[in-house]
Amino acid sequence: MNTVCCFGEALIDFHGTPTGSAPAFTAHAGGAPANVSVAVARLGGHAAFVGMFGQDVFGDLLLRELAAAGVDTAHARRTDAANTALAFVTHAANGERSFSFYRPPSADLLFRDADFHPSIFSAGSIFHAGSCSMTEPASALTTLTGMTRAHDAGALVSYDMNLRPALWPRGGDPAPTIWRALALADFVKLSAEELAFLSESTGGENAALACLWNANAKLVIVTDGERALRWYTPNASGEFPTFQVRAIDTTGAGDAFVGGCLYRFAEAGIGAATLPAFAADADRLKSMLRFAAASGALAVTRAGSFAAMPTLAEVDAFLQSSSATSNFIRSP
């Protein structure tokens, strides 16, 4: 099985619970790439987290929770130049969340190219990143360098845009920086809102997708909450229904979904060169989408971030008992 190396931010999500005049907040280990690494490990895959942690109690907590989940933290680094990032999360009645970030400065933004170990980059690995590590120029350069080194080594490069406008400098446009990362990715996961954001800078969804195909993208998946997800390859597209569950907390849904996809890629030994054939095989693509959708569905039924990621046994049991439709709509 290939190793999934997740690069970027690990932080503490403080989840709020209404308690009269002010909510009470409970600390949960989180951060999108870190969540993905936990999702892969919980499913039984080989996952490593690559990033910088503060020399503080929250850095201790994150490293402890990653190790407990089975994530390789040998490539984690620590610094006393900044503290671990914090995010305060509040939830609507339907489980949808909103964030208030305490970042920058934060330790995760201080990881540099020299902190990467060469063993991270190999043809037998998957390198996963997102846009939250690109909100400052030096950290953005590190992210792009890591993606480039992975691409040049023949690794499968995965990118979940995970746009958080509040993290970007006020008045600036994140699109040019994000497009530089998208140009390096073989597998791209977007939300419907993120695809709309990219479309604004290109003149429409088709133009945005064309930009991805003209670069390295081989498979693009667009999620839209409880609505059907959409998938695209350079030669085909389609939809796949999600599972209807009662959402408690949607914080880790997308990360669980991405973890499900990357676990299946790693399990099958899929790399950049073999991803097109995998995506063109309707049965294999359908199986992966169903598995990843089940992972995301289970995650929203639980509170927390790391804690919400399901195990392989839980996903298998959910799929066996689910009566949800599994129609696979394919368009040429």
Side-chain angles (χ1 to χ4, degrees):
M1 177 178 282
N2 291 348
T3 297
V4 180
C5 297
C6 299
F7 169 73
E9 75 281 2
L11 50 81
I12 301 298
D13 287 327
F14 281 93
H15 289 230
T17 302
T19 56
S21 60
F25 288 93
T26 303
H28 292 274
N35 290 340
V36 173
S37 72
V38 170
V40 173
R42 286 264 174 83
L43 292 169
H46 299 158
F49 182 77
V50 184
M52 187 72 75
F53 296 81
Q55 292 280 12
D56 54 24
V57 64
F58 296 126
D60 294 342
L61 185 154
L62 285 163
L63 286 166
R64 187 167 60 248
E65 291 296 317
L66 284 166
V71 176
D72 180 357
T73 59
H75 302 297
R77 303 289 180 261
R78 302 198 75 170
T79 180
D80 59 5
N83 290 327
T84 301
L86 309 177
F88 288 81
V89 188
T90 55
H91 299 88
N94 65 353
E96 283 297 330
R97 69 274 190 260
S98 59
F99 296 90
S100 295
F101 293 98
Y102 285 74
R103 172 185 183 262
S106 60
D108 60 288
L109 294 171
L110 300 182
F111 196 98
R112 297 292 179 262
D113 181 50
D115 295 313
F116 283 123
H117 192 278
S119 63
I120 295 168
F121 310 109
S122 69
S125 67
I126 297 171
F127 187 85
H128 174 72
S131 73
C132 290
S133 61
M134 307 183 74
T135 56
E136 292 198 333
S139 184
L141 180 60
T142 301
T143 304
L144 292 168
T145 300
M147 295 177 73
T148 300
R149 292 176 67 177
H151 169 75
D152 291 348
L156 191 158
V157 180
S158 166
Y159 190 75
D160 178 3
M161 187 168 152
N162 194 36
L163 180 64
R164 298 287 181 262
L167 292 177
W168 292 80
R170 187 171 298 176
D173 181 7
T177 301
I178 290 173
W179 271 113
R180 292 178 66 191
L182 288 168
L184 293 163
D186 301 294
F187 170 64
V188 175
K189 187 270 181 188
L190 304 171
S191 69
E193 294 82 4
E194 289 162 353
L195 179 56
F197 172 84
L198 295 176
S199 299
E200 292 176 3
S201 62
T202 58
E205 286 190 3
N206 290 338
L209 290 166
C211 289
L212 293 171
W213 308 140
N214 289 335
N216 286 304
K218 301 163 182 68
L219 175 63
V220 176
I221 297 177
V222 180
T223 58
D224 193 10
E226 63 185 12
R227 290 169 286 279
L229 62 85
R230 291 175 282 162
W231 60 267
Y232 301 88
T233 69
N235 301 311
S237 63
E239 294 184 354
F240 194 83
T242 58
F243 296 94
Q244 300 303 303
V245 296
R246 180 176 177 272
I248 294 175
D249 182 356
T250 63
T251 303
D255 303 325
F257 178 88
V258 172
C261 292
L262 299 187
Y263 169 78
R264 279 299 187 88
F265 292 154
E267 180 187 42
I270 301 301
T274 53
L275 182 57
F278 177 94
D281 185 322
D283 289 337
R284 297 179 82 187
L285 180 59
K286 175 183 175 180
S287 177
M288 183 201 74
L289 293 175
R290 190 167 185 264
F291 182 86
S295 299
L298 279 171
V300 305
T301 66
R302 308 165 179 181
S305 302
F306 287 11
M309 301 299 122
T311 65
L312 181 60
E314 290 171 332
V315 175
D316 286 343
F318 178 84
L319 288 172
Q320 290 174 13
S321 64
S322 176
S323 60
T325 180
S326 59
N327 293 332
F328 186 69
I329 304 170
R330 182 183 179 93
S331 304

